[in-house]
Amino acid sequence: AGVHLRYRLRVGSHWMAPDVDDYPTSMGHGHSNFCFLDAEWDPASDSVTVGVHILEMSARDDVADGLRVINQGPERALMNAAAPLANRGLDRVEWRIRNMLQRLQEVPMGSAMFSPTFSLCGVPEMMLELYPNGIQPSGGGAAPQKKGY
């Protein structure tokens, strides 16, 4: 089972170049430091918009022994199953984050904010992740990078 995506990420007016990834499980990965928050944050509304545009998607599901179905109640199961179908024609989502000034003060470097889960192009349980104060560089020796994504 897995999903193959070609997509573009957005923060404010900054769009990342198209990228291609394969997700053999539900675990994705992130992109860091592709723009600076100061340039994309709208101080007038104290918000920033984070988005993803799915350019191409293909999915495969290999059914085999050991298939497990978990039921969280009929209403929840129906809502979860219907969301990807209802949103299969959608290829773009935006997440407006309000009160950015406060969040910049409260969220430490290396800590992330997560969007609510959503479905897009028939892919369930997607989520956006934003590090408003950047991440610590790997290797430990270099100085931290400020306010990158």
Side-chain angles (χ1 to χ4, degrees), residues 28-88:
H29 73 280
H31 292 270
S32 62
N33 298 317
F34 71 88
C35 72
F36 291 97
L37 181 61
D38 291 345
E40 304 306 327
W41 169 45
D42 178 11
S45 66
D46 191 22
S47 67
V48 66
T49 300
V50 178
V52 61
H53 182 186
I54 305 296
L55 303 171
E56 180 182 311
M57 189 275 302
S58 60
R60 66 180 192 280
D61 188 14
D62 303 323
V63 179
D65 290 340
L67 177 64
R68 183 184 304 172
V69 177
I70 300 172
N71 185 352
Q72 297 176 322
E75 294 85 8
R76 174 89 180 220
L78 183 57
M79 284 177 27
N80 289 344
L85 295 173
N87 297 332
R88 71 181 178 274

Side-chain angles (χ1 to χ4, degrees), residues 5 54 57 84 87-92 119-123 126:
L5 289 178
I54 305 296
M57 189 275 302
N87 297 332
R88 71 181 178 274
L90 302 179
D91 63 2
R92 188 170 168 176
S119 64
L120 198 61
C121 288
V123 179
M126 296 178 79

